[in-house]
Amino acid sequence: MKILNFNKRLLGTIAAALLLGGGGTAYAAGTASGTTISNQASVDYKVSTIDQPTINSNNYQFVVDTKIDLTVSTDDVAAVAVTPGSNDNVMTFTVTNDGNATQDFNLSAAALAGGTGAFGGTDNIDGDTVEVYVESGATVGYQSGEDTATAIDNLAADANVKVYIVTDFNTGYSDGDIASYYLVAEARATDGSALTETAGADTEGSVDIVFADGDGDGGLGNDASRDAKHSSQDDYEVAAANLTFSKSSNVVSDPFNGTTNPKRIPGAVVEYVLTISNGAGAATATDITISDSLNAEIATNGTLAFNTQ
């Protein structure tokens, strides 16, 4: 009797990981949304040391979903100095599309209400006219006649663009006043419509949307993690002169006492003293003009016209 021994070999499931990192080129955003990923596996094997025909799997395909991610960063390294009564004071930001698809972005300026400024101090004022504009690329830096778009249109993955908050300040603000603002960017579809994150399980065969953005303002409410928004803070600081102006007088002489303990009697010589000063650290005041008419006080002969009645 012949006994046959059978060795059973179990072929288990083999899992392979695919990193959607952009193929042969490194992109921060990764593989573009909507890209079709296609793969076919094969198995080679032997029976009793004899090679057997290769077995091919089905050609499996799926599409890459959309990752919505963005960063708003402040370009200014210190508070933007403003003079009371000035227009077109500019804050500069960079908005970057960190997602894997071209997106539109809505923009807005959100005023801080009494909190700590980006560069220290406490927010205590707001600008009088606040607008947001996108760099056109025609001329570097904000140009009122060129940079007129108020939203970002079709920003490609990994691309960025400069955005400006432009503010006017009336007169009457004090040196050291701070107006702090957040630039808030919200990712939108390329037709400008709002985005909705895909709920539930992955919908294989269609392009899902995943929000991947962080919280830019630290919980103040301008944006939050995974809400398709991001923000960054910047400050205006008023640089104003802090002038004080006073008027006093000294008695130089009188007709009876001369210059020794003179009194303010008719015929006395009285000297007016005008004192103007600027606070330490305040902005320099220039083109100062002082007006002080004494026509009603001085007689035609140059002496004080005291009322002797």
Side-chain angles (χ1 to χ4, degrees):
M1 179 177 179
K2 200 171 185 179
I3 299 175
L4 300 178
N5 293 323
F6 294 93
N7 292 323
K8 295 182 179 178
R9 299 181 181 273
L10 300 179
L11 298 179
T13 299
I14 301 173
L18 174 64
L19 179 62
L20 303 180
T25 306
Y27 295 102
T31 306
S33 170
T35 301
T36 298
I37 305 298
S38 179
N39 180 263
Q40 185 177 42
S42 62
V43 174
D44 291 314
Y45 66 102
K46 295 180 180 180
V47 176
S48 298
T49 72
I50 300 174
D51 288 330
Q52 301 298 307
T54 298
I55 299 175
N56 294 318
S57 74
N58 60 302
N59 187 7
Y60 179 76
Q61 295 182 345
F62 67 89
V63 293
V64 177
D65 293 329
T66 301
K67 172 187 172 185
I68 301 297
D69 196 6
L70 68 155
T71 302
V72 181
S73 59
T74 303
D75 288 12
D76 299 312
V77 297
V80 177
V82 298
T83 301
S86 63
N87 297 327
D88 290 350
N89 298 281
V90 180
M91 290 176 168
T92 305
F93 301 83
T94 299
V95 176
T96 303
N97 182 1
D98 297 316
N100 66 338
T102 298
Q103 306 290 163
D104 287 356
F105 294 88
N106 278 2
L107 302 168
S108 61
L112 188 65
T116 301
F119 301 103
T122 301
D123 170 86
N124 65 326
I125 62 169
D126 291 329
D128 295 288
T129 301
V130 182
E131 298 169 315
V132 178
Y133 295 109
V134 180
E135 169 62 49
S136 67
T139 306
V140 176
Y142 173 70
Q143 310 293 325
S144 60
E146 297 175 0
D147 305 320
T148 57
T150 57
I152 300 172
D153 185 42
N154 289 341
L155 185 63
D158 291 316
N160 62 69
V161 65
K162 300 296 181 185
V163 176
Y164 309 108
I165 293 180
V166 182
T167 308
D168 298 343
F169 286 83
N170 293 335
T171 57
Y173 296 108
S174 299
D175 186 62
D177 285 347
I178 293 175
S180 192
Y181 288 91
Y182 280 87
L183 176 68
V184 184
E186 178 188 5
R188 293 270 178 147
T190 53
D191 63 359
S193 61
L195 295 168
T196 301
E197 189 173 31
T198 303
D202 175 61
T203 52
E204 187 175 351
S206 64
V207 178
D208 292 341
I209 296 177
V210 177
F211 293 166
D213 56 281
D215 182 359
D217 68 0
L220 290 181
N222 296 306
D223 70 295
S225 295
R226 303 191 63 180
D227 66 349
K229 297 179 183 179
H230 199 256
S231 65
S232 185
Q233 185 183 15
D234 202 349
D235 298 336
Y236 292 111
E237 183 171 358
V238 175
N242 186 17
L243 298 183
T244 57
F245 189 36
S246 63
K247 184 174 185 177
S248 61
S249 67
N250 299 314
V251 184
V252 177
S253 64
D254 71 42
F256 300 98
N257 297 305
T259 59
T260 302
N261 298 322
K263 305 297 186 291
R264 301 170 191 270
I265 61 175
V269 176
V270 178
E271 175 187 64
Y272 282 112
V273 178
L274 303 178
T275 302
I276 186 169
S277 61
N278 195 5
T284 301
T286 61
D287 299 327
I288 297 173
T289 301
I290 297 175
S291 299
D292 187 26
S293 175
L294 301 179
N295 292 336
E297 299 170 271
I298 300 177
T300 56
N301 61 2
T303 60
L304 286 175
F306 285 100
N307 185 349
T308 58
Q309 301 300 319

